[in-house]
Structures are given as C-alpha cells and as structure tokens.
C-alpha cells in the first residue's frame, strides 16, 4: 500500500475476528480519528457520522462479538503480524472512551469488562462491576518491576536474546508483555466474565518498543529482537483472547511511529465506578443525543396505541349487550322472579 506525500504513518491490523465481522482484504487507508468508530461498529453500536470505509463490511447484525481488544504500539510504522492490515491516514491520537461509555450506559447492571491501560504512563481506567477481578493487575512501574522478578513471569519463558534484565528500558518493554500475559491469565481464572451477555472492551497502549528504539537505535540488534518478541507475544495474546471468548472476539493492533499531536486526557482512578458529572455553571442545554429521534418515535407510537386501545375498550364496554351477562347472574335473576 502506498500513501502519497507521506500522509500515512502507521498501520491498522486485525489479528483475529469472528465470522460475524466482515473485514475485507485490501489496502484501503483508514483515517486515524475513525479507528474508534470501527471498534464501535464491529460491536454493534451506532456512530455519529457514517463510516464510508470499504475495509469493513456489514457482517451479521444479529451476532455481535463479545469482546474488542485494541492494542496500540508506538515506535514502529508496521508490525509483521498475521491478518488484515490497512494503512493509517493522519495518525492522530484517539481513545475508545466513547465505546467504553456506551458499554457502561447500556450494560451497567451486568458485568462488562472495560479496561483501558497504558503501563508506561501508569494510566489505568476500569469501570463497572468487573473491577474486582483486575484489581490484582500490576499497573504502576514499581508493581510491574516486582511482577517481572516473580517465579511465573515472562522472563522465564521469553527468549531475551540481546535484551538485558538489568536495563530499565528493557525491563519497561518486558513489563508491558507481562501485562498482556497477566490479562489472559486473570481472564482464564474468571471465565464467567467472557461467557456473559455483556460486551467487553480492552484498550492497551504499549510504548516500550519506542523506548528501546530511542535507547539503542532502530538499527540495533536490541530493537530487532524486541520487535520480534513483541510480534510473537501479540500473536499469542490475540489467539488466547480469541479462544477465551469462544472465537467471538475482535483483536486489533495499531502500529504508529508517532502521533501527529499529543493526546490530552484526564487521569482516572483504577477503581473509578462512574463518569464524574461535568459542571454546568451557565445552565446550558444538554448536547443533542443522536438516539433522541428513535426514543421519541417509540414513546409517541406507544402512547397513540395505548390511547386507541383505551377508546376501543371503553366503547365496547359502554355498548355491551346486557343479555351477554354470566349464567350465574341470569339464574339468580330467574329465582328471584319465581319467588
């Protein structure tokens, strides 16, 4: 795929997806700001603006995936992963907050997993009743470092090659791979979260490879080894998540060298249960809700139907023939006349 004037600076890849989600093989560029809309559409949610991107077909509207997993890798334009890959046009920062809010609003009474995590920035966002399962997940740099030197860490299974367990940059990169391993491990111990009826969302940002490239250079053996280890780990992570959800999950990877502009967002607590209400000092009206017309039509026609039903029932009761009274009333009436 070729992008003119160097506009495309990244790649969007779909590692695993169920048959109900129709991704098409082609080199169609996808705008970076529309990646959250792709995630929303694959999960069956509506978006504010129609997405005219040929890479995503309609699919099966009655069978939506139970989970969407999106991993963002910084520091590289593309990764040699298996699956459909599309160039990213205008690689701007994005977040899946809109998808997370939709899940939390529609399935607040159930136990959806909504996990947004950036290990190197110590930024974590969990919402909903499934928080307790992921409380044990290492999220701070100190926790990640301690987790790496435990018996069941990835250090004992990964081929480090030129990477060192004594270098902070290498440990940061490896700790992100440890997070991938721990997520699948926690989910495998709590399989009921993957088998319920509420959709789940995992959004992970990995910056360790970018730090390795800055520390050693992109032509170094360390960067090459780290890239290969990351590809293998992502492929294993995708397969495990896909299998945990019974083949009904979408696993995607966004690889970007660097974003065109920084993403400013508010830090949120790991145990935050709900969105904080925004202050409205000017008494402004609420923003327009795109579901308003749907809700309005449902309420309108339901009220019209109920009103017509009341009128018809009342008319028939008013004009009821007294001869159609029950047999008890008529026999009682006859006995009174005989007396």
């Amino acid at each position: 795929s070729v992008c003119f004037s160097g506009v495309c600076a990244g790649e969007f890849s779909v590692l695993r997806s169920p048959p109900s989600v129709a991704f098409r093989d082609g080199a169609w560029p996808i705008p970076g700001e529309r990646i959250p809309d792709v995630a929303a559409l694959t999960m069956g949610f509506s978006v504010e603006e129609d997405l005219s991107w040929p890479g995503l077909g309609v699919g099966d509207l009655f069978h939506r995936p139970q989970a969407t997993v999106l991993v963002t890798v910084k520091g590289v334009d593309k990764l040699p992963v298996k699956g459909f890959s599309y160039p990213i046009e205008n690689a701007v920062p994005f977040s899946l907050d809109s998808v997370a809010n939709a899940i939390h609003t529609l399935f607040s009474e159930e136990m959806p997993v909504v996990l947004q995590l950036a290990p190197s920035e110590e930024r974590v966002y969990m919402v909903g009743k499934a928080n307790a399962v992921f409380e044990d997940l290492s999220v701070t740099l100190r926790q990640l470092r301690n987790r790496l030197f435990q018996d069941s860490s990835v250090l004992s299974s990964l081929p480090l090659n030129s990477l060192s367990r004594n270098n902070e940059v290498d440990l940061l990169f490896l700790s992100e791979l440890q997070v991938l391993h721990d997520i699948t491990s926690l989910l495998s111990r709590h399989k009921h979260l993957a088998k319920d009826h509420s959709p789940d969302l995992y959004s992970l940002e990995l910056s360790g490879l970018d730090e390795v490239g800055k520390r050693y250079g992109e032509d170094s053996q360390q960067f090459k080894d780290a890239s290969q280890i990351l590809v293998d780990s992502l492929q294993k992570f995708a397969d495990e998540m896909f299998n945990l959800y019974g083949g009904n999950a979408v696993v995607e990877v966004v690889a970007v060298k660097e974003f065109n502009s920084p993403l400013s967002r508010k830090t949120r607590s790991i145990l935050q249960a709900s969105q904080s209400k925004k202050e409205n000092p000017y008494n402004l009206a609420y923003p327009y809700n795109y579901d308003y017309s749907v809700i309005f039509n449902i309420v309108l026609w339901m009220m019209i139907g109920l009103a017509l039903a009341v009128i018809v029932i009342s008319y028939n009761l008013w004009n009821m023939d007294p001869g159609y009274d029950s047999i008890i009333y008529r026999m009682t009436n006859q006995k009174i006349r005989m007396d």
Side-chain angles (χ1 to χ4, degrees), residues 247-315:
N248 196 20
V250 179
V251 185
E252 303 159 336
V253 172
V254 172
V256 289
K257 181 66 177 174
E258 59 181 354
F259 288 114
N260 294 341
S261 59
L263 175 63
S264 59
R265 59 190 303 171
K266 188 185 298 183
T267 303
R268 290 169 288 192
S269 169
I270 184 174
L271 295 179
Q272 181 178 355
S274 62
Q275 298 289 331
S276 59
K277 296 182 179 179
K278 296 182 180 179
E279 297 181 0
N280 190 8
Y282 305 111
N283 196 26
L284 300 177
Y286 292 104
Y288 177 74
N289 188 344
Y290 285 86
D291 294 330
Y292 173 79
S293 59
V294 178
I295 298 172
F296 177 80
N297 275 277
I298 292 174
V299 174
L300 173 66
W301 293 109
M302 185 179 293
M303 295 302 295
I304 292 175
L306 289 174
L308 291 174
V310 170
I311 293 172
V312 172
I313 293 172
S314 301
Y315 177 81

Side-chain angles (χ1 to χ4, degrees), residues 124-332:
V124 182
Y125 174 45
M126 298 183 193
V127 67
K129 299 178 181 179
N131 281 348
V133 174
F134 292 94
E135 284 180 359
D136 298 332
L137 195 64
S138 300
V139 292
T140 66
L141 295 178
R142 181 185 295 274
Q143 290 174 339
L144 290 169
R145 183 184 178 90
N146 294 336
R147 176 70 182 89
L148 271 179
F149 289 97
Q150 294 177 2
D151 294 336
S152 60
S153 75
V154 295
L155 288 178
S156 59
S157 59
L158 286 179
L160 300 183
N161 297 333
S162 60
L163 299 179
S164 170
R165 62 176 65 203
N166 298 320
N167 191 295
E168 291 296 329
V169 173
D170 298 5
L171 289 177
L172 173 64
F173 168 76
L174 295 170
S175 67
E176 293 182 341
L177 305 185
Q178 182 67 54
V179 171
L180 298 180
H181 171 77
D182 289 345
I183 288 175
T184 55
S185 178
L186 285 171
L187 198 58
S188 63
R189 295 201 299 268
H190 301 84
K191 293 183 179 179
H192 64 280
L193 294 176
K195 295 180 180 180
D196 59 10
H197 298 292
S198 57
D200 300 335
L201 177 68
Y202 303 83
S203 176
L204 311 172
E205 295 182 17
L206 308 183
S207 304
L209 184 63
D210 187 28
E211 297 299 326
V212 171
K214 292 177 180 177
R215 172 67 174 81
Y216 300 105
E218 296 183 8
D219 295 329
S220 64
Q221 189 62 40
Q222 288 89 341
F223 185 79
K224 294 177 182 178
D225 290 341
S227 300
Q228 187 58 50
I229 293 173
L230 179 60
V231 169
D232 295 340
S233 299
L234 286 175
Q235 204 72 56
K236 180 182 177 183
F237 175 69
D239 294 340
E240 290 179 349
M241 293 295 286
F242 189 74
N243 293 331
L244 283 170
Y245 280 91
N248 196 20
V250 179
V251 185
E252 303 159 336
V253 172
V254 172
V256 289
K257 181 66 177 174
E258 59 181 354
F259 288 114
N260 294 341
S261 59
L263 175 63
S264 59
R265 59 190 303 171
K266 188 185 298 183
T267 303
R268 290 169 288 192
S269 169
I270 184 174
L271 295 179
Q272 181 178 355
S274 62
Q275 298 289 331
S276 59
K277 296 182 179 179
K278 296 182 180 179
E279 297 181 0
N280 190 8
Y282 305 111
N283 196 26
L284 300 177
Y286 292 104
Y288 177 74
N289 188 344
Y290 285 86
D291 294 330
Y292 173 79
S293 59
V294 178
I295 298 172
F296 177 80
N297 275 277
I298 292 174
V299 174
L300 173 66
W301 293 109
M302 185 179 293
M303 295 302 295
I304 292 175
L306 289 174
L308 291 174
V310 170
I311 293 172
V312 172
I313 293 172
S314 301
Y315 177 81
N316 283 278
L317 286 174
W318 186 264
N319 295 281
M320 181 182 292
D321 187 351
Y324 289 155
D325 290 332
S326 66
I327 189 172
I328 297 175
Y329 179 77
R330 284 183 291 175
M331 290 189 67
T332 306

